Amino acid sequence: MSEFVAELIGTMILVILGCGVVGGVVLKDTKAEGAGWVVITIGWGLAVTMGVYAVGSFTGAHINPAVTLGFAAAGEFPWAKVPLYISAQLIGGIIGAVIVFFNYLPHWKKTKDQGAKLGVFATDPAVRSPFSNLVSEIVGTFVLVMGLMFIGANDFTEGLNPLIVGALIVAIGMSLGGATGYAINPARDLGPRIAHALLPIPGKGGSDWGYAWIPIVGPVLGGIYGAVFYRALFLGEFTVVFWILSVVMAVILIGAARSELKKGETMADKIEEKVV
């Protein structure tokens, strides 16, 4: 199997099982309707596990552009292969989402909530605040890529690694995912979002392209920083990329905090004016 096909299939499996569990929980009249966030996070963890088991022996199962870019930035993956991997991951994400659409064919008409339909395919924030949403995606992907490097630095019984990676995804989802739905993977969000825009889903509404840049930029920044951060602090490799991204991260974090604090002050001022 070629590396292109392997990354495509691995990402396709990831999206089929990941978006599939969301569909089961949020679409009307499925047997899993209302099962909740815990089921979704476990489903996504198992989705990643199966994707890694499927193609790990062929490509290492990146199945995520943020992982590919992070490993390349850390010098653990050749830059020449990055376009091949990312294009395969994006196509795999689209195909996986199309399969999910067919799996739930009777349920699209039964579901009136346009947001729920989009949520099967793509992420959206619990509270829409671009700076803060970007931070959440950066943090989640930072933990993901650094966690993958932690896992790679340890010896496990053969065949156990994919389960550990899946457990990492569950942990990120339960601990950090409530803010934005934890895309932590540009292909997982952009591929299905494209599918949502193209598929004839009854009453689907828009694909929220205004938000779509956040689950791309956030994971890319977080993934690259997670990789170079690991190599800097654990291996002593303080590169130019590490220092530049450290400054960028500081600016983003401070900007997000100031933005939220300013919103709080404005709201307090409005309440005070009403009281007066």
Side-chain angles (χ1 to χ4, degrees):
M1 183 185 295
S2 71
E3 291 178 329
F4 181 88
V5 173
E7 281 296 304
L8 186 154
I9 290 175
T11 312
M12 180 186 73
I13 291 170
L14 163 70
V15 169
I16 290 172
L17 298 178
C19 291
V21 71
V22 178
V25 171
V26 306
L27 294 178
K28 288 295 180 183
D29 295 340
T30 74
K31 291 186 178 293
E33 183 183 356
W37 185 247
V38 172
V39 169
I40 289 174
T41 56
I42 293 173
W44 271 107
L46 293 173
V48 171
T49 297
M50 292 303 106
V52 175
Y53 270 127
V55 301
S57 60
F58 297 97
T59 64
H62 291 191
I63 58 179
N64 182 342
V67 172
T68 299
L69 289 167
F71 282 13
E76 298 191 8
F77 185 74
W79 280 104
K81 290 185 178 182
V82 168
L84 176 79
Y85 272 52
I86 292 179
S87 59
Q89 291 155 1
L90 181 59
I91 294 170
I94 295 171
I95 295 172
V98 171
I99 292 172
V100 171
F101 164 71
F102 281 107
N103 185 72
Y104 287 109
L105 276 177
H107 300 274
W108 303 110
K109 283 186 179 180
K110 289 178 175 289
T111 305
K112 304 304 179 185
D113 186 344
Q114 294 179 347
K117 292 176 186 179
L118 176 59
V120 175
F121 296 89
T123 61
D124 69 308
V127 176
R128 191 168 293 256
S129 181
F131 239 150
S132 296
N133 301 151
L134 182 66
V135 167
S136 295
E137 287 295 333
I138 288 172
V139 170
T141 318
F142 172 85
V143 173
L144 168 64
V145 173
M146 193 163 63
L148 291 175
M149 292 194 162
F150 290 157
I151 293 168
N154 290 275
D155 293 324
F156 294 97
T157 302
E158 186 176 355
L160 187 59
N161 281 58
L163 287 172
I164 305 301
V165 173
L168 173 63
I169 300 298
V170 173
I172 292 171
M174 288 188 176
S175 301
L176 304 170
T180 61
Y182 74 119
I184 61 174
N185 181 341
R188 167 266 174 277
D189 189 274
L190 181 58
R193 197 181 295 269
I194 291 172
H196 176 272
L198 298 176
L199 287 167
I201 302 168
K204 66 180 177 180
S207 300
D208 197 9
W209 291 107
Y211 179 78
W213 67 274
I214 290 174
I216 296 174
V217 176
V220 167
L221 288 174
I224 293 174
Y225 192 52
V228 298
F229 185 91
Y230 174 85
R231 295 196 71 85
L233 268 67
F234 287 84
L235 303 178
E237 298 177 6
F238 291 88
T239 63
V240 174
V241 175
F242 167 77
W243 291 116
I244 291 174
L245 281 180
S246 294
V247 173
V248 170
M249 294 304 163
V251 170
I252 292 174
L253 290 172
I254 293 170
R258 291 186 64 179
S259 175
E260 292 303 322
L261 289 172
K262 190 174 181 180
K263 288 178 185 176
E265 290 173 0
T266 303
M267 189 175 296
D269 291 341
K270 288 181 179 178
I271 293 172
E272 187 176 345
E273 287 174 6
K274 287 181 179 180
V275 172
V276 173

